[in-house]
Amino acid sequence: MIQDILQQLHIGNVNRGVSTGINWLDAKGAVIDASSPVDGQHIATVKTASREDYDTVIATAQAAFREWRLWPAPRRGEVVRQIGEALRQNKEALGKLVSYEMGKSLQEGYGEVQEMIDICDFAVGLSRQLHGLTMHSERPGHRMYEQWHPLGITGIISAFNFPVAVWSWNAMLAWICGDVCVWKPSEKTPLSAIACQHIVQDVLKANKVPEGVCCLVTGGRDTGEWIAADTRVPLVSATGSTRMGKAVGSVVGARLGRSLLELGGNNAIIITADADLNMSLIGCVFGAVGTAGQRCTSTRRLIIHESVYETFTKKLAKAYQQLRIGNPLDEHNHVGPLIDKDAVNLYLDSIEKVKAQGGSFLVEGGVLSGDAYSSGCYVKPCIAAVENAYPIVQHETFAPILYVMKYSRIEEAIAMQNNVPQGLSSAIMTLNLREAELFLSQAGSDCGIANVNIGTSGAEIGGAFGGEKETGGGRESGSDAWRAYMRRQTNTINYSTHLPLAQGIKFDL
């Protein structure tokens, strides 16, 4: 089956991983061997970008920007609309490739492609709403307003856990704003990116889009470093670990460029005494084990009121025993593999640290073995009873380890929720209006996302996505996130016969 999918998406045994939009370069960089954590099988090889290839791509993108920025925004939106239609036609095949290459469940693979379709729809409408403000001037006979102009090249560095969706969040908005894009996907999931480039190419050709609007440069860490340091790239959008984001942010900041950072999460759900425990269970389990705990919005911590702690943790443990772990292309399975054996080792190391720091396990973890788990990347989702102050709990564990702890007062729970370096997503489960409003108030969650009676994982594209503190402060996707891809310009027009100065300053000649 997977061979049919690869053929449909134009993935061969050997693939070029560098494109200036419609054309592919004969890349001269290193070769990536792409394999699947599902079964450990080699899928294909990818030729990555050399520094010479990279410079060719950037030069092509610069030239394209000079033309693309002059296209009316609704015309650019029409191109994005057609890309959305192309993604609809390829949703099943692309969703299966994402699932197989990354290891997330098939439903999540389909969901990721649906996110791409949704952001296309959002961007199409937005292409007719890129607006500024008008302001009253203090000077008679003057009009003052602001407008927004495209920046130029948007460099997109994406992570393995969402190999295609996060690129689309950035690219679709950047394109309707008049920017061009250079995408550096994760070296762990290059084939999904190459498939997207093939899907988009037919739309670009049909609309005579300038060569260089949609570029792809596969490669390793050095490729990302080229983008971060490149003064020709005014905006770098990077998704990944806090460690990576600090490195990117410092390099981009040193050249006074702009960075849009979506980094680590250490997300908590507060379960109050007034929570609907059955509904809470669904949000907590999916949040903790979805994508095998490899989402930036995965639920890492449960802060449970002492009066319902025993009841709820028993429900959790029972639900975990019902989880089906296996090949994610089998829709009956809930949990697939971790991305690779390095991730497995980090999972095992985290378990040992929990024990060393005084925690205990309500549901034990471990690596699964046997023919069905031959890749060596399948692990057991586990639950650990801990204290919030444990060093391991303060760290983002990118694996299906759920930390549970007790609280007695709602103010204490909110303080525990906030007392970690990260600030992405948060949630409270309660039917108590006062608790819900306190959680959403200035004295409540310090995260970029705060939910009531839904989990931490699974954001709609209509809202701006991003977090605070070590999560980076960036915002992508919905609301007014489009402004990150543009530059603001304030304009004043004097239509009078005089030239008065602001603040009443006199300068007579």
Side-chain angles (χ1 to χ4, degrees), residues 250-274:
S250 63
V251 172
V252 176
R255 61 176 175 85
L256 298 182
R258 299 189 191 184
S259 57
L260 199 170
L261 302 175
E262 297 289 356
L263 310 176
N266 195 349
N267 316 295
I269 299 178
I270 298 172
I271 309 293
T272 76
D274 293 320

Side-chain angles (χ1 to χ4, degrees), residues 330-404:
D330 182 344
E331 294 191 64
H332 294 95
N333 289 327
H334 299 106
V335 184
L338 293 176
I339 186 64
D340 55 25
K341 291 183 180 178
D342 287 341
V344 173
N345 290 332
L346 289 173
Y347 158 85
L348 293 173
D349 181 63
S350 297
I351 288 175
E352 292 306 312
K353 287 179 178 176
V354 169
K355 295 175 181 177
Q357 293 168 20
S360 60
F361 282 87
L362 307 181
V363 175
E364 295 285 343
V367 181
L368 294 168
S369 59
D371 292 343
Y373 312 114
S374 59
S375 69
C377 296
Y378 292 87
V379 302
K380 298 177 185 178
C382 56
I383 303 173
V386 298
E387 298 293 334
N388 198 58
Y390 288 178
I392 187 62
V393 179
Q394 294 287 307
H395 173 74
E396 181 190 32
T397 304
F398 222 55
I401 303 175
L402 179 62
Y403 302 120
V404 298

